[in-house]
Amino acid sequence: MTDCLFCKIRDGEIPADIVFESDDVLAFNDVNPQAPIHIIIIPKKHIPTINDVEDGDESVMGKLFSAAKIIAGQKAVSDDGYRLVVNCNEKAGQTVFHIHMHLLAGRAMIWPPG
Ligand code: 5GP
Ligand code: ZN
């Protein structure tokens, strides 16, 4: 997907502060952080939205959570707590159409989210 922002970050065509990388997953600091720690975790595979997850994607989707756990440990927020968010389509606030998990931490979170 040559016009996908997160594919371009994956491919090194757009710079990003990478905080975690494995064979299937990449994570980097959000350019417009909404918390002291705000990290975007993506599958390297281009999947536009949660609605597009297919049979066979279960492993990589699970690895997003595994990456979140590892990153939370690295950032020392595992015990204090952190929030994971996946927006799907416009009404939920999705603006980049390559599945991503937000990891937010470093401040108290309110519920329900806006
Ligand atoms: P969404 O609104 O789709 O759930 O989240 C997209 C996120 O990507 C936003 O939090 C936004 O700040 C972030 N973002 C947009 N463009 C860039 C960029 O060029 N680099 C990085 N690191 N994050 C970006
Ligand atoms: Zn993409």
Side-chain angles (χ1 to χ4, degrees):
M1 294 296 289
T2 53
D3 61 348
C4 171
L5 177 64
F6 288 169
C7 282
K8 287 180 178 172
I9 288 176
R10 176 201 64 204
D11 295 340
E13 296 171 16
I14 292 176
D17 296 327
I18 307 295
V19 299
F20 174 87
E21 182 166 14
S22 68
D23 286 348
D24 302 313
V25 173
L26 185 69
F28 46 87
N29 288 322
D30 196 293
V31 76
N32 182 26
Q34 302 301 310
I37 296 169
H38 186 173
I39 293 164
I40 299 291
I41 307 169
I42 67 166
K44 288 188 174 177
K45 177 183 178 182
H46 179 85
I47 307 171
T49 80
I50 291 292
N51 293 334
D52 302 301
V53 171
E54 298 174 333
D55 291 349
D57 292 333
E58 295 88 355
S59 174
V60 72
M61 296 306 292
K63 288 175 181 177
L64 299 180
F65 284 91
S66 298
K69 171 192 165 179
I70 292 166
I71 294 163
Q74 291 172 344
K75 297 291 183 183
V77 296
S78 303
D79 291 341
D80 278 351
Y82 52 96
R83 180 168 289 174
L84 303 177
V85 175
V86 180
N87 297 322
C88 181
N89 275 338
E90 285 86 351
K91 210 164 183 178
Q94 186 174 7
T95 59
V96 178
F97 287 84
H98 179 135
I99 285 179
H100 51 281
M101 176 182 282
H102 298 254
L103 188 160
L104 298 142
R107 64 168 171 83
M109 304 287 162
I110 59 168
W111 192 263

